[in-house]
Every structure is written in structure tokens, then in C-alpha cells.
Amino acid sequence: MTRASLNKQPHEVASMFDDVAANYDLTNDVLSLGQDRVWRKEVARAVNARPAQKVLDLAAGTATSSLPFAATGAYVVPCDFSLGMLREGKKRHPHLPLTAGDATKLPFRDDVFDAVTISFGLRNVQDTDAALREMYRVTKPGGRVVICEFSHPTWAPFRTVYTEYLMRALPPVARAVSSNPDAYVYLAESIRAWPDQPALASRLQQAGWSKVAWRDLTGGVVALHRGTKPQ
């Protein structure tokens, strides 16, 4: 079994997700106490996909996150660099065009997508800024980006409790339900090391995105960042 390190070597991260692919969606549901379903609904609302629009869903994993976009009549491309995740997703959703791709070197032309979104995957990319620039490149002028990622709870007492949960409660729970519990130790560490909400907003702006804003979900456990590519 593979556990990635915080330097996020792509082959380590991809292999780690290959190992957890079969039970990944179930494990997330258990560890988040069902909140992941609420968060994904908020992502779908923020993306606001419409019929015939093109939506790129990065770090799509098994493509569970792509289904709400497809349901609107949009053309959604689930993209991930874990082949194990993509294989599992193809078994479950054979009608979707699952695509292998690295977020820092996307296999798409410039100005293709009306919306690009990534949920709980940006912090696993080795070069965050390169990924933000690639998302910008493949988005049409006037198009939008929506990033859903674990963040920093805004209420200090809750932040302390949450951090303790991540490092103490998460690994034993993961051992009970995941095929690779060590992967979830890495995931907890990566959440703790991730920039806070204003810092990520600043990086979006530096990548070229305008009208950057964020909204906290579940008290800041998760933040939903948005931006627009200028016309």
C-alpha cells in the first residue's frame, strides 16, 4: 500500500488513490459524517451548469462529483490522474467521458470550457499555482472556476477540536472502512498544511482570475472559492 508524502510526488499521490478507489466514496461519506453530500450540492449550485455548456470536473475520481453536472444537460468531462479511480468510475458510469489528465498539464486546448471545477483535489496537486493557471487557460473568457476544498474553521475553539479529530479520530475510522488507511493519515496532514481562505483567494488572483470570492461551509471546515476569467 502507498502513502503519499507532503511533497506530493505525482506518482505517489496517484498510486495512493489507486489503492483506495474501490471504497473511496463510502469512506468519504463515513469520515465526513455525511457532510460531503451537502458540500457537493453546494458545488453544483455554484457551478450552475446549463444545457450544452462544457464543464471540466478535475480530480473527479470515480466521477460521482460529475453526475449533478451531467443531470443538467451539460457536457461534463471527468478528469483525474489516478487510473485506478478512473477504472472504477468507468465501471459505474460508462456513459461519461472519463479522461486521464494531470491538473498541471491539462490535455485540453485553450478556451474550451464554460466552467472548471475541482473538489477536494487541489491540495493534492504538487504545484497549486500551475494548476490554477491551467484551469484559467482551458476556460473560455467569461467562464468560471469553482474550487471546493478543506480549509480553516473560522471559530478558534472549533478549529482546535476539528484539528484533534483529523489527527486522532480519522485514522482509526479510516482503518475500519478503507482499503488503505495510511492514505487518510496523509490526507489529514495535507488538510492541516493547506492555506487558509484569503491565501487561496490571493493565489487565484495571481493566476489571472477576477471577481474572486469564497464562502465557508460547515463553519469553514470547507471553503467554496469562485472566480471568473475576464472577457
Side-chain angles (χ1 to χ4, degrees), residues 43 46-47 53-59 69 76-77 79 103 106 108-109 111-119 131-140 143-148 204 209 225-229:
V43 171
V47 171
Q53 287 192 333
K54 295 184 179 72
V55 177
L56 175 60
D57 185 17
L58 290 173
F69 310 129
V76 58
V77 177
C79 183
L106 291 172
F108 307 106
R109 299 191 310 273
D111 306 332
V112 171
F113 295 98
D114 297 282
V116 177
T117 183
I118 183 168
S119 294
L132 294 175
R133 289 192 298 269
E134 275 292 270
M135 293 180 210
Y136 184 89
R137 179 184 67 79
V138 302
T139 301
K140 295 177 181 177
R144 56 210 181 273
V145 66
V146 175
I147 298 169
C148 184
L204 274 159
W209 297 98
H225 282 73
R226 301 178 305 285
T228 302
K229 183 171 178 174

Side-chain angles (χ1 to χ4, degrees), residues 9-223:
Q9 292 297 320
H11 67 281
E12 290 181 353
V13 177
S15 180
M16 183 189 74
F17 279 104
D18 290 347
D19 288 341
V20 300
N23 294 324
Y24 184 71
D25 293 327
L26 170 64
T27 306
N28 286 347
D29 210 23
V30 171
L31 293 177
S32 71
L33 307 178
Q35 284 295 296
D36 61 316
R37 299 181 191 182
V38 175
W39 299 332
R40 292 194 188 282
K41 285 180 182 176
E42 293 301 321
V43 171
R45 188 173 292 123
V47 171
N48 191 27
R50 296 186 289 280
Q53 287 192 333
K54 295 184 179 72
V55 177
L56 175 60
D57 185 17
L58 290 173
T62 60
T64 298
S65 59
S66 303
L67 297 178
F69 310 129
T72 68
Y75 178 77
V76 58
V77 177
C79 183
D80 202 287
F81 74 161
S82 165
L83 297 181
M85 285 284 199
L86 292 171
R87 278 192 287 267
E88 188 67 28
K90 200 64 179 174
K91 283 191 283 187
R92 301 181 191 182
H93 314 295
H95 61 291
L96 292 177
L98 284 91
T99 303
D102 181 340
T104 65
K105 301 172 191 168
L106 291 172
F108 307 106
R109 299 191 310 273
D110 297 355
D111 306 332
V112 171
F113 295 98
D114 297 282
V116 177
T117 183
I118 183 168
S119 294
F120 309 111
L122 187 58
R123 75 181 192 287
N124 299 318
V125 177
Q126 187 177 34
D127 189 337
T128 302
D129 297 317
L132 294 175
R133 289 192 298 269
E134 275 292 270
M135 293 180 210
Y136 184 89
R137 179 184 67 79
V138 302
T139 301
K140 295 177 181 177
R144 56 210 181 273
V145 66
V146 175
I147 298 169
C148 184
E149 188 53 89
F150 289 108
S151 197
H152 294 240
T154 52
W155 189 46
F158 174 61
R159 186 163 58 242
T160 302
V161 171
Y162 172 67
T163 302
E164 289 299 309
Y165 166 75
L166 278 177
M167 296 314 297
R168 295 190 182 184
L170 189 148
V173 173
R175 264 193 294 278
V177 294
S178 172
S179 54
N180 182 7
D182 280 348
Y184 288 86
V185 176
Y186 154 79
L187 290 172
E189 291 172 347
S190 70
I191 291 168
R192 287 176 55 157
W194 185 244
D196 65 11
Q197 292 90 322
L200 181 55
S202 176
R203 292 171 85 161
L204 274 159
Q205 290 168 333
Q206 290 167 19
W209 297 98
S210 66
K211 301 179 183 175
V212 173
W214 75 84
R215 182 160 62 92
D216 291 323
L217 305 177
T218 318
V221 168
V222 164

